[in-house]
Amino acid sequence: LNPVDGLGDCLSFLIKLILAALAFQFIVSQYLPNASFLTLLDQYTFLVFTLCCVLLGVLSWVGSADMTKDRT
């Protein structure tokens, strides 16, 4: 994928993944008992959320950088 031409599609996909991870965490937390520690499912969801946020930041930075044909 070209990071400049398809930037909008990549960013919208990552935002949808972030919202899906948040919705998943919210729905699953209703059915699990309260625990004072992070379960494996919580750690996995936070990892996915963090990864999507980092990728969103990197893609935003790449999209704002001056990408000429020689640099890509």
Side-chain angles (χ1 to χ4, degrees):
L1 290 174
N2 189 351
V4 175
D5 293 336
L7 183 64
D9 293 335
C10 291
L11 292 177
S12 68
F13 180 70
L14 283 172
I15 290 172
K16 290 175 188 175
L17 281 177
I18 289 171
L19 291 175
L22 287 175
F24 177 77
Q25 180 69 27
F26 179 71
I27 296 297
V28 168
S29 69
Q30 293 178 353
Y31 295 105
L32 293 176
N34 289 336
S36 61
F37 56 91
L38 289 177
T39 62
L40 186 61
L41 186 62
D42 292 331
Q43 292 174 0
Y44 173 75
T45 307
F46 289 140
L47 177 69
V48 168
F49 179 74
T50 304
L51 179 66
C52 288
C53 288
V54 167
L55 286 174
L56 188 67
V58 168
L59 278 177
S60 298
W61 177 73
V62 167
S64 67
D66 183 28
M67 297 297 281
T68 61
K69 290 281 185 185
D70 297 332
R71 293 184 69 184
T72 58

